[in-house]
């Protein structure tokens, strides 16, 4: 379902590329042995009982809440926010408010102000159950909820997505009777978009989560049947890019609704690969918007970049440049769909970067903007990321570096034990 095209001739010979592809089955074996490999078969083996509860909870929330406050950071919010933005936003009564993804007082006040007097519920999402940003925001919104509805009803309006057995949030959810959803032990935060972490907010926003899982599973089957297929090719090309000194990958997208998807992708690759002084730095642009800002750098700046263009095959042809007075010099475009002009801009950009600017360009194509294609994209990138990190000799599933700022912050804040 997801297509990948690349002329890797600039960074590898056919023989070297073929030899590296032959190692992919051993990377799969390595990944399967990892205790964090639960995401690999998830689209097929997910918990159907919990899936049904997610749909029921989403229906209840749409019945009693104008807002769902989604509290979480990193892998606990980027995936569902990406999905909901790509698919056009909330389609039911309930709007989503995101909180707990920074320590900014201004952002928190904005989120509280947005609630006003409206009815709301909370989905607090934290695998560890101890993340400071999430916990602080949860305290604030839980107090608001209790103030508005009293302890008993507030507990009915809190949905906790966390570890099955442990952590402060898990314990609180048990003690106060919140409805619980599970982040499986064998799935890390940035690989959790297809668990309850992503599915509950998506279902509340009206995303067709069955189609999402179906798309992910079809992609999984394609990839596994083809011994890694295009996801492996993308992973291996990235390794060659890195070896050739192309240390920055710029994800380029010509649809602004992919801005948060790019954030999800950056977290996935950055946190999985960037360790032991290795890894490709993931960056992103939305074109043509950023051609008027970052376009200059891409065309003529330092040449340690390669670009990956994420394309959607099916376009929206409904907006057409109107006929009319040619005083604005646009007569040559009259009658053209905006989508066709965007496509020409994309081809021109690829040509300018690749042929004039010496930037290798990879192309990844999804068939449509819908839940099924998005499920396939999520799975495609999860698999290519895991293979890419493995090919580069790093563990894709840990993030030891994230602790460094926390240790210093906790010490300065006087947290007991630091
Ligand atoms: O990928 C990861 O593991 C991280 O980005 C986490 O998702 C993030 O730090 C939030 O952690 P938690 O869900 O434990 O609050």
């Amino acid at each position: 379902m997801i297509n990948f095209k690349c002329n890797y001739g600039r960074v590898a010979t056919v023989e070297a590329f073929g030899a590296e592809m032959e190692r992919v089955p051993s990377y799969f074996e390595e990944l399967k042995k990892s205790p964090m490999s639960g995401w690999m078969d998830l689209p097929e083996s997910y918990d159907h009982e919990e899936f049904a509860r997610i749909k029921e909870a989403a229906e209840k929330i749409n019945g009693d809440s104008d807002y769902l406050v989604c509290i979480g950071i990193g892998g606990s919010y980027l995936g569902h926010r990406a999905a909901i933005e790509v698919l056009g936003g909330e389609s039911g009564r309930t709007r989503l408010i995101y909180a707990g993804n920074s320590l900014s007082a201004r952002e928190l006040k904005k989120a509280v102000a947005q609630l006003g007097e409206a009815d709301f519920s909370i989905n607090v999402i934290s695998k560890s159950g101890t993340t400071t940003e999430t916990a602080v925001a949860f305290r604030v919104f839980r107090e608001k909820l209790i103030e508005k509805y009293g302890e008993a009803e507030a507990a009915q309006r809190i949905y906790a997505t966390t570890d099955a057995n442990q952590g402060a949030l898990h314990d609180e959810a048990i003690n106060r009777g919140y409805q619980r959803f599970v982040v499986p032990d064998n799935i890390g935060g940035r690989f959790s978009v297809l668990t309850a972490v992503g599915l509950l907010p998506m279902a509340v926003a009206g995303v067709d989560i069955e189609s999402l899982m179906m798309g992910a599973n079809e992609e999984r089957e394609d990839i596994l049947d083809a011994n890694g297929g295009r996801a492996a090719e993308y992973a291996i090309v990235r390794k060659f890019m890195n070896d050739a000194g192309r240390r920055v990958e710029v994800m380029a997208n010509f649809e602004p609704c992919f801005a948060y998807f790019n954030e999800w992708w950056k977290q996935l690759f950055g946190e999985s690969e960037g360790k032991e002084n290795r890894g490709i730095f993931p960056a992103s642009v939305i074109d043509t918007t950023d051609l008027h800002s970052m376009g200059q750098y891409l065309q003529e700046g330092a040449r340690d970049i390669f670009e990956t263009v994420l394309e959607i095959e099916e376009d929206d042809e409904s907006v057409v440049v109107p006929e009319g007075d040619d005083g604005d010099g646009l007569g040559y475009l009259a009658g053209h769909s905006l989508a066709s002009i965007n496509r020409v801009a994309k081809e021109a950009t690829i040509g300018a970067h690749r042929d004039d600017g010496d930037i290798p360009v990879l192309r990844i194509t999804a068939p449509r903007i819908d839940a099924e294609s998005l499920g396939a994209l999520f799975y495609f990138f999860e698999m290519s990321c895991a293979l890419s990190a493995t090919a580069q000799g790093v563990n894709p599933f840990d993030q030891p570096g994230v602790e460094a700022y926390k240790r210093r912050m906790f010490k300065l804040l006087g947290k007991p034990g630091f």
Side-chain angles (χ1 to χ4, degrees):
M1 191 184 232
I2 302 303
N3 216 334
F4 171 68
K5 270 191 267 168
C6 162
N7 179 357
Y8 55 80
R10 284 185 194 207
V11 291
T13 62
V14 176
E15 293 72 29
F17 188 78
E20 197 53 49
M21 283 297 287
E22 275 174 26
R23 302 173 73 164
V24 170
S26 70
Y27 300 150
F28 267 117
E29 288 314 308
E30 217 173 299
L31 287 174
K32 279 187 209 149
K33 278 191 225 139
S34 162
M36 299 310 287
S37 64
W39 57 274
M40 286 176 85
D41 289 329
L42 182 74
E44 187 189 56
S45 65
Y46 64 90
D47 178 344
H48 285 75
E49 182 274 329
E50 185 182 63
F51 195 82
R53 276 198 305 117
I54 287 172
K55 292 205 301 187
E56 275 167 31
E59 212 175 297
K60 174 176 179 294
I61 293 166
N62 266 283
D64 67 16
S65 302
D66 301 307
Y67 289 106
L68 176 69
V69 185
C70 291
I71 304 179
I73 193 166
S76 287
Y77 98 105
L78 284 168
H80 51 88
R81 187 160 188 178
I84 292 163
E85 297 210 357
V86 166
L87 297 174
E90 302 89 331
S91 60
R93 165 183 169 188
T94 309
R95 310 279 115 185
L96 268 55
I97 291 180
Y98 299 94
N101 52 58
S102 76
L103 289 170
S104 161
R106 291 180 182 86
E107 285 301 308
L108 195 70
K109 271 170 74 178
K110 234 192 324 187
V112 170
Q114 199 182 335
L115 277 182
E117 294 307 310
D119 282 312
F120 72 103
S121 298
I122 295 174
N123 183 198
V124 52
I125 308 169
S126 176
K127 181 171 182 178
S128 62
T130 55
T131 301
T132 314
E133 290 87 341
T134 310
V136 168
F138 181 43
R139 256 199 191 206
V140 171
F141 283 99
R142 186 185 54 208
E143 290 317 301
K144 299 262 164 238
L145 203 64
I146 293 172
E147 240 169 62
K148 189 172 171 75
Y149 299 103
E151 292 266 0
E153 190 179 340
Q156 301 298 307
R157 286 175 171 270
I158 296 176
Y159 303 83
T161 308
T162 189
D163 190 270
N165 304 304
Q166 58 184 355
L169 179 58
H170 164 271
D171 297 349
E172 177 177 333
I174 299 271
N175 293 336
R176 300 202 190 191
Y178 309 152
Q179 185 164 174
R180 283 185 303 129
F181 297 96
V182 169
V183 194
D185 274 350
N186 58 0
I187 301 183
R190 57 192 173 277
F191 286 83
S192 71
V193 60
L194 299 174
T195 70
V197 168
L199 295 179
L200 178 57
M202 284 190 235
V204 170
V207 173
D208 176 355
I209 56 174
E210 257 114 8
S211 295
L212 184 92
M213 295 306 272
M214 201 174 77
N217 199 36
E218 279 171 8
E219 187 61 27
R220 171 184 157 275
E221 285 171 354
D222 279 4
I223 289 174
L224 297 182
D225 286 353
N227 274 326
R230 294 172 181 124
E233 285 173 22
Y234 173 48
I236 298 307
V237 169
R238 294 181 85 257
K239 178 187 180 332
F240 280 108
M241 290 290 171
N242 197 13
D243 292 348
R246 300 281 174 171
R247 299 271 153 72
V248 179
E249 178 177 14
V250 179
M251 175 64 74
N253 215 297
F254 284 70
E255 288 294 342
C257 64
F258 274 82
Y260 258 94
F261 186 89
N262 288 347
E263 295 307 310
W264 172 82
W265 172 85
K266 284 195 276 195
Q267 187 210 355
L268 181 66
F269 280 81
E271 209 171 358
S272 301
E273 269 184 6
K275 50 196 71 155
E276 299 172 30
N277 298 330
R278 281 185 256 175
I280 295 167
F281 185 85
S284 66
V285 290
I286 294 289
D287 292 334
T288 59
T289 314
D290 291 334
L291 291 174
H292 297 259
S293 56
M294 297 309 291
Q296 171 59 36
Y297 191 100
L298 288 168
Q299 196 65 46
E300 295 183 348
R303 298 296 80 180
D304 55 356
I305 293 171
F306 67 101
E307 199 170 7
T308 300
V309 179
L310 179 53
E311 309 177 79
I312 308 299
E313 235 163 86
E314 188 181 285
D315 255 329
D316 177 349
E317 305 289 343
S318 64
V319 180
V320 172
V321 179
E323 306 282 346
D325 176 2
D326 198 21
D328 56 7
L330 273 189
Y332 74 106
L333 290 179
H336 291 245
S337 73
L338 196 53
S340 71
I341 300 170
N342 203 22
R343 281 194 294 277
V344 171
K346 180 179 70 188
E347 295 305 329
T349 306
I350 290 173
H353 289 177
R354 184 191 54 207
D355 302 334
D356 309 336
D358 186 33
I359 292 188
V361 179
L362 321 181
R363 301 176 79 145
I364 292 173
T365 313
R368 294 171 302 280
I369 293 188
D370 62 11
E372 200 179 332
S373 296
L374 193 61
L377 271 177
F378 279 137
Y379 193 86
F380 175 89
F381 281 119
E382 286 179 349
M383 183 59 89
S384 48
C385 175
L387 288 171
S388 175
T390 308
Q392 290 176 56
V394 296
N395 174 3
F397 306 123
D398 65 0
Q399 53 282 328
V402 176
E403 298 309 311
Y405 98 91
K406 290 187 193 167
R407 277 194 299 272
R408 283 173 182 260
M409 177 178 77
F410 291 148
K411 191 167 174 211
L412 292 170
L413 288 172
K415 183 173 176 172
F418 286 82

